[in-house]
Amino acid sequence: QVQLVESGGGLVQAGGSLKLSCAASGRTFSTYAMGWLRQGPEKAREFVAAISGGGGSTYYADSVKGRFTISRDNAKNTVYLQMNSLKPGDTARYYCVADRNLVVIRTSPGYWGQGTQVTVSS
């Protein structure tokens, strides 16, 4: 069982930055791939980024590539999402997700956090 708690969301102007954090419970954090999904107003849920258990492999949606960076600190059981050059279109609720399967995490991860709201004003 994995419990996930996100933090770091908020209101930011276009062009600004935010860093999301996700703290995970459990002693097997490094065996889980981690990721971020988001759902904007009247939009479908979409994959944002994912990282392998050891942190050696990362994946991004084309819409955020070059602007967002996912990272993890296995000693702290925490995964991060650094978001730069934010756009109004990035406005969404961001969910931290976990799964042992790095492929599944993009679409149907087994564990979800409650989410944190990110709002980008123009």
Side-chain angles (χ1 to χ4, degrees), residues 23-94:
S25 65
R27 293 176 290 179
T28 59
F29 179 69
S30 64
T31 67
Y32 285 86
M34 301 295 295
W36 294 90
L37 305 183
R38 69 184 182 185
Q39 186 160 17
E42 300 182 1
K43 291 184 179 179
R45 185 179 67 201
E46 64 174 341
F47 166 75
V48 176
I51 187 167
S52 59
S57 298
T58 56
Y59 305 88
Y60 298 93
D62 288 342
S63 59
V64 307
K65 202 170 293 183
R67 299 188 298 123
F68 290 12
T69 302
I70 188 170
S71 61
R72 65 190 296 160
D73 184 339
N74 285 345
K76 295 183 178 179
N77 279 20
T78 301
V79 63
Y80 306 97
L81 185 68
Q82 177 67 48
M83 305 185 294
N84 298 329
S85 302
L86 282 161
K87 305 174 181 179
D90 294 317
T91 294
R93 190 162 187 85
Y94 284 71

Side-chain angles (χ1 to χ4, degrees), residues 15 17 47 53 105:
S17 298
F47 166 75
I105 204 167

Side-chain angles (χ1 to χ4, degrees), residues 103-116:
V103 174
V104 170
I105 204 167
R106 292 174 178 246
T107 55
S108 55
Y111 300 96
W112 293 71
Q114 292 298 309
T116 185

